[in-house]
Amino acid sequence: MTKFETVFHGFYGRNPTDTEIQEHYRIKAAMDIRDSDALWLILIPFQYYTKVLQDIPKTIEIVSDEFNENSRAAMQRHEQSIKSDLNSAVAAAGQGVASTILRRKMRTWSAISIAVFALGRVVS
């Protein structure tokens, strides 16, 4: 294993691919860096951190998409719960109103019945 591959493995935790080796050698040739030049090995951390920084927007997008999807799912669950609670509240309120109306009508009819009964007793 070359010194380059050893340093690369130390940063990335894996061996470099052929494409990565070619990229580093392309940079080395373009900058006219010799094998014994310390700059050659310093390029590896720079490339590593460049890759990490380039991946940040992609990572943010992935996390954002997951957050949005989880938020939508949570909102849908809560929406169903709220609709169910609202339906129950409306049904309970409707029953309460119906009971109140029924009581009032019963009182009215009871009063009319008592009045008719009383008038019937008075007339006879």
Side-chain angles (χ1 to χ4, degrees):
M1 189 179 268
T2 66
K3 183 140 177 121
F4 163 74
E5 291 170 333
T6 303
V7 173
F8 186 95
H9 190 275
F11 268 90
Y12 287 93
R14 62 177 176 78
N15 291 329
T17 64
D18 287 338
T19 304
E20 290 166 331
I21 292 171
Q22 289 172 8
E23 177 66 14
H24 283 286
Y25 279 104
R26 185 188 65 75
I27 293 170
K28 179 184 173 197
M31 296 180 69
D32 194 27
I33 300 172
R34 290 181 294 284
D35 287 337
S36 61
D37 198 335
L39 183 58
W40 170 233
L41 297 177
I42 293 174
L43 284 176
I44 296 169
F46 284 142
Q47 288 293 85
Y48 173 81
Y49 290 113
T50 299
K51 172 86 169 102
V52 168
L53 291 173
Q54 287 172 342
D55 289 346
I56 288 175
K58 182 179 177 183
T59 302
I60 290 172
E61 182 180 352
I62 290 169
V63 170
S64 176
D65 289 346
E66 288 174 5
F67 176 79
N68 288 337
E69 186 58 38
N70 292 339
S71 296
R72 271 190 218 97
M75 286 185 344
Q76 288 173 350
R77 283 193 309 274
H78 291 297
E79 178 184 19
Q80 292 303 321
S81 175
I82 289 169
K83 283 181 180 179
S84 176
D85 292 348
L86 182 60
N87 287 338
S88 298
V90 168
Q95 288 175 350
V97 168
S99 294
T100 302
I101 291 170
L102 181 61
R103 275 196 305 275
R104 286 180 186 165
K105 286 188 179 195
M106 286 177 61
R107 283 187 205 140
T108 302
W109 284 106
S110 294
I112 291 171
S113 297
I114 292 169
V116 168
F117 180 75
L119 282 173
R121 297 282 257 163
V122 172
V123 175
S124 45

